[in-house]
C-alpha cells in the first residue's frame, strides 16, 4: 500500500498503462501481440494495467473481441499485477451489466466513467451513478474523469465525496488541468482513494504534489521513462523529473501527427513489435509521410 503525505492508506500507486488493444489489419484481436505487450509491461515494472480504456478503443471493439480481450488479460497476467477493467458505457444500468458479466471471468477491479450520451445535468447525477455502481459489486471500483469524451467534468469537490463508497478506491483524472489535479490532491489526501493523473504532460508535477500514480498512454511503449519520471518526482528529485518530463513532452509530439492520435498509438505499437497497427473503424489511418515524421521523432529521441 502507498501512503499519502498525512498517512492515509492507499491501495494503488505507480504507473498503470492504459493498454492498447492490438488489432490485425482485418480489425480482429491480435492475441499474440497482446501477450507480448503484457509480458513486456510486467517485465518493465509497471504497477498494473488498465484494459478497455480510451487507449484500448473501449467503445469501438466488437462484443466478442471485448470479451476475449478481458479474458486474455486476466489469463496472461495470472495475478502478477492488478488488471483494471474498463466498464465504459453510456448509462448506469449498462455499467452494472458489464460488471456482472466481467465478474464471471474473474475480473475484480472495474473502471467506470460517468454516464454519458445524455449529458449530465448536475454533479449529483455523477454521485448517484457511482453509488449504484459501487453497490453493484463487492469488488473494487475506480472512477474515471475524462471530460474530452464524456463531456462532463467531475469537480474535485465531487471527487472528494466518492470517499463515502468504501470499495471505490481509485480516481483517475484525465482533465489535463494541473489546477484541478492540485485540488484533487488536497481534497483526497486523507481519504482511502488513490489519485492517479491521466494526462502525460503533467505526470511529474502531479506526483511531486502528492498524486499516487499516473495512467499514461505512451507508457505502453516507454514504461521505464514514465516510471523513472514519476518516481523521481515522488522522491523530490525535481531536476531529474523535469528532464524526464521534457523528454515525454518531445515524444508526445508523435501523437499530434495525422488525423487521430489513436492511429499514431497503433503505429508506435507496430514499431515496437506489438501487432500490425490496425485501428478500429472509422478511424483515419496514417499516411506513409506521417509515419516517417513519427520515425524522425523517435530517432531524435534515440528510441
Amino acid at each position: 500500500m502507498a501512503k499519502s503525505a498525512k498517512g492515509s492508506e492507499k491501495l494503488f500507486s505507480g504507473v498503470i498503462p492504459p493498454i492498447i488493444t492490438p488489432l490485425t489489419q482485418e480489425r480482429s484481436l491480435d492475441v499474440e501481440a497482446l501477450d507480448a505487450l503484457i509480458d513486456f509491461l510486467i517485465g518493465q515494472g509497471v504497477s498494473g494495467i488498465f484494459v478497455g480504456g480510451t487507449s484500448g478503443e473501449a467503445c469501438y471493439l466488437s462484443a466478442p473481441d471485448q470479451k476475449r480481450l478481458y479474458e486474455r488479460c486476466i489469463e496472461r497476467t495470472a495475478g502478477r499485477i492488478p488488471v483494471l477493467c474498463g466498464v465504459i458505457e453510456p448509462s448506469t444500468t449498462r455499467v452494472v451489466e458489464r460488471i456482472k458479466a466481467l465478474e464471471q471471468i474473474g475480473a475484480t477491479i472495474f473502471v467506470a466513467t460517468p454516464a454519458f450520451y445524455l449529458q449530465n445535468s448536475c454533479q449529483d447525477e455523477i454521485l448517484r451513478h457511482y453509488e449504484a455502481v459501487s453497490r453493484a459489486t463487492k469488488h473494487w471500483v475506480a472512477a474515471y474523469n475524462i471530460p474530452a469524451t464524456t463531456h462532463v467534468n467531475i469537480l474535485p469537490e465531487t471527487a472528494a465525496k466518492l470517499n463515502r463508497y468504501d470499495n471505490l478506491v481509485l480516481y483517475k483524472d484525465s482533465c489535463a488541468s494541473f489546477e484541478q489535479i492540485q485540488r484533487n490532491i488536497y481534497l483526497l489526501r486523507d481519504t482511502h482513494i488513490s489519485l492517479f493523473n491521466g494526462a502525460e504532460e503533467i505526470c511529474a508535477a502531479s506526483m511531486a504534489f502528492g498524486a499516487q500514480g499516473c495512467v499514461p498512454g505512451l507508457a505502453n511503449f516507454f514504461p521505464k521513462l514514465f516510471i523513472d519520471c514519476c518516481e523521481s518526482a515522488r522522491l523530490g528529485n525535481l531536476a531529474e523529473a523535469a528532464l524526464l518530463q521534457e523528454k515525454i513532452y518531445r515524444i508526445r509530439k508523435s501523437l499530434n501527427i495525422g488525423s487521430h492520435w489513436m492511429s499514431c498509438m497503433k503505429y508506435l505499437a507496430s514499431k515496437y513489435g506489438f501487432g500490425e497497427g490496425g485501428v478500429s473503424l472509422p478511424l483515419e489511418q496514417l499516411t506513409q509521410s506521417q509515419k516517417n515524421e513519427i520515425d524522425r521523432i523517435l530517432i531524435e529521441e534515440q528510441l
Side-chain angles (χ1 to χ4, degrees), residues 17-20 22 37 40-41 44 55 200 216-226 251 254-255 261-262 264-274 298 303:
I19 65 169
I20 62 158
L37 177 60
F40 167 70
L41 292 172
Q44 290 288 298
S55 294
E200 293 156 340
L218 283 172
N220 277 275
F221 320 113
F222 316 113
K224 194 67 166 55
L225 172 61
F226 284 93
I251 297 169
S254 66
L255 299 183
W261 62 270
M262 179 58 70
C264 301
M265 287 280 283
K266 287 304 188 69
Y267 178 63
L268 288 170
S270 69
K271 286 283 293 182
Y272 290 101
F274 305 122
L298 299 176
L303 295 170

Side-chain angles (χ1 to χ4, degrees), residues 201-239:
E201 58 268 40
I202 54 175
C203 282
S206 64
M207 294 298 293
F209 269 66
Q212 280 68 56
C214 292
V215 188
L218 283 172
N220 277 275
F221 320 113
F222 316 113
K224 194 67 166 55
L225 172 61
F226 284 93
I227 291 170
D228 289 347
C229 179
C230 290
E231 188 65 4
S232 294
R234 187 186 69 82
L235 294 174
N237 301 327
L238 299 185

